[in-house]
Amino acid sequence: MELKKDSNAVSIDMLLIVHSEKRRTAQGTHSDRQADPGAPPQRRGGLQSIGNGIRKWQKLEENDLYGTQLTVEVHPQDAMPQLLKKFSLAKRLQGDKNGNTRPRQPGGKDAHAYPWDRSSLKSMPLDLRQFEKLDTYASQVTVKSGLDELVNDLLQEAHSDLERVRAIWIWICHHIEYDIKAAQEKDRQAFKLTDILRTQKTNCDGYAGLFEKMCRIAGVQCMTVPGYSKGFGYQTGQSFSGEFDHAWNAVYLEGRWHLVDSTWGSGLVDTSTSKFTFLYNEFYFLTHPALFIEDHFPDNKNWQLLKPPQSLRQFENNMYHKSEFYNKGMLSAHPETSVIRTVNGKATITMESCAPTLFMFMLNGKQEHGLLSLRKNGMKLDIYPPTMGTHKLQIFAKGNSDVYSSVLEYTLKCNYVDVGVRLPAELHQPMGPSWFSEQMGILKPSHPDPIIHTSDGRCSITFGVEEGISVLASLHGDDDLITEETQRRYIFQLHREKRTELKVQLPRAGKFALKIFVKKRQEPGNYTFVFNYLLCCSNTKVTWPMFPESFGNWGQDNELLEPLSGVLPANRNVPFKLKLHGVAKALVKGQDTWPLTLNSEGYWEGSCSTAGCQEVYVMVLENANHNFYSYILKYKVNDP
């Protein structure tokens, strides 16, 4: 204000700032805390993958700008820049040049129920398909001169406040890059709107300021909200204090406030290379407040838009679900705490999803020491840490895309190791049959559970197979008894009446992974892994030999009754009995040749002597008019 009493008086230019008594007290307390020379500086990241250079927001409650007991401060004009910076939150309560009135504070009508009711990821009903044309248009708009012209161009295809906000959001998320250098150096130039448009770089403070300004130009009420975030550098269970590390926006649409974060909607920073990558994330547009609170804690609890609001302590202790948790269709996870402890060397994690989903896990960076089974809508994981101490457990989900994304992380504490639970390293995920194996053509398995116990080291597994599907199986253990060449020789595959049977013989006691693969016969390429069983045998007397080696002409519909052992005794007469389809003649060849005869039940029967030979073959003649016999089975003979 200007004071002029008379011609002899001195003209003084001053800035007048009015506080409520409540706010003046709060400011004094905050200033005292900030002035503590022994307080360590704290820095955290505003972007999900970066962590420096965020403006120090003052913790001022905007509701405190009103009151009856007043204090007046008078400052010289040259103090104005510092004061405007100090009260940067208060300036947002003024109207803008387009005549927008002061945005109202959030109230009861803005609040959403907590916890999340699973109704929607958004805070208002949205059909994202309605934005397809607008999104394409907005993402292609370029800066010609100033901000006003840019907003005007964006609004050419927007016909409601919702569409105006959407166009601004899409443009920022596809054009503004996170400025890592400015964030690390706390470069204030990065916050100027003119520089943001020129360089198309900024940090979270700049993202939020630009979004707010563009919304106001478009005639939509918008606020910048400072607060704490669980972004880059966040450690499970850490506490938050001191300066705020992030900023986002609240936008007023259809009579309610809604939340957006264009910084996290634009992309990610690779922590290993410190390079930003545009990776659009729809999750942070009009996010449901009960989900937004998982990684955003505002300075003013009213901006949580929740009923009841969460305390800072709750924010610190609550399980942190990444945006991909919800983008991939997850609904819940148990345990609901980020730090879990094993019980008798085991921890169990379950997840619920809104649709059938593929999962995988990593314990300390490896897909080992766990049993993951798929459920119709979710999964169950039993994890067995190999050592005592603290472990990192990551869970990934595939969803509708072809890429697995990390959706959840646990800190796993183990104070006991069950040495009796040693899982094969080749035990891959998922375990046991599920909706996925059914989708891949394996139907109605005889063993629905993923773990099969056998007392004599043998088992038989049957399942239906869709027409045109070929099945392949292999056995894997953790010793040299089963090599890459022999991993299929401990399994003999039979096919009868549209069901496939896998006869399995274990070479010793222990735990083994039985892997199941499928392939469409008419399509080129390799077999696809579908699932595996865990076979367990504690009988130390078990020493089953391999099955006979089968060749390409061994048809899926053939059946071997005897001998099942791939190693025959020396100097013995060995009986043979097989069901062979589409053959004219069959014989067994060792030192001599012994023909097989077809009995009334459709089996080829006979015997042969193993004297004087090291190998025995079963051979067939498919066409009676030809003299060419094909090998279908091969046996080895023990040394005499």
Side-chain angles (χ1 to χ4, degrees), residues 125-178:
L126 287 183
D127 182 357
L128 296 179
R129 292 173 295 183
Q130 75 183 85
F131 297 130
E132 289 178 356
K133 181 179 178 181
L134 177 63
D135 289 355
T136 301
Y137 169 79
S139 64
Q140 296 173 353
V141 172
T142 58
V143 179
K144 297 176 181 177
S145 58
L147 195 59
D148 290 79
E149 183 178 1
L150 172 61
V151 174
N152 184 64
D153 289 343
L154 286 171
L155 300 190
Q156 295 303 307
E157 296 293 330
H159 308 293
S160 66
D161 280 355
L162 174 60
E163 291 185 349
R164 294 181 186 99
V165 170
R166 179 71 179 189
I168 292 168
W169 155 269
I170 288 293
W171 188 88
I172 291 178
C173 288
H174 287 80
H175 290 84
I176 303 302
E177 178 179 344
Y178 194 84

Side-chain angles (χ1 to χ4, degrees), residues 207-238:
Y207 275 100
L210 178 64
F211 187 88
E212 176 184 342
K213 181 63 175 178
M214 293 177 73
C215 283
R216 293 200 175 213
I217 293 174
V220 179
Q221 293 187 27
C222 182
M223 298 281 284
T224 295
V225 181
Y228 296 123
S229 68
K230 293 181 179 178
F232 173 74
Y234 168 72
Q235 299 294 325
T236 300
Q238 79 173 56

